[in-house]
Amino acid sequence: FKDYKPIQDSILLTYRMDGRSTGEAYVAFETPESAKEAMELHRSTIGSRYIELFISNKEEHTRNVARSTNIARSTLSTNR
């Protein structure tokens, strides 16, 4: 996605309660135009991985940041 000007600090990979990846990620872009251009990658591949892209919003991103933080805390406390 680097050609589409993602905001590096916005990238969020999501995880299940057991710590395994869900395969989902959230990425914000510098401009709405960059986000729209990135949507051209919908239903394509990155390496050998098929990807689908969906428009999201800040509220959904914030919910998943909170959920991922809680999962990380839970995983850390379980592994102690």
Side-chain angles (χ1 to χ4, degrees):
F1 288 100
K2 69 180 176 181
D3 294 338
Y4 299 95
K5 302 177 188 155
I7 299 170
Q8 291 299 313
D9 292 346
S10 77
I11 299 170
L12 172 70
L13 304 176
T14 61
Y15 298 90
R16 295 183 176 96
M17 290 301 291
D18 64 3
R20 293 176 38 218
S21 174
T22 64
E24 296 178 357
Y26 292 85
V27 179
F29 296 88
E30 291 180 9
T31 66
E33 293 79 21
S34 293
K36 187 175 180 178
E37 290 171 6
M39 289 301 294
E40 295 171 1
L41 297 174
H42 181 56
R43 295 186 174 173
S44 66
T45 57
I46 295 179
S48 62
R49 295 282 190 169
Y50 172 77
I51 62 167
E52 293 182 331
L53 304 178
F54 302 95
I55 299 293
S56 185
N57 58 46
K58 278 189 175 185
E59 292 79 22
E60 189 172 358
H61 181 265
T62 301
R63 273 196 310 272
N64 280 288
V65 167
R67 187 180 75 180
S68 291
T69 301
N70 288 335
I71 290 171
R73 285 183 187 148
S74 174
T75 302
L76 284 174
S77 64
T78 306
N79 290 333
R80 289 185 183 173

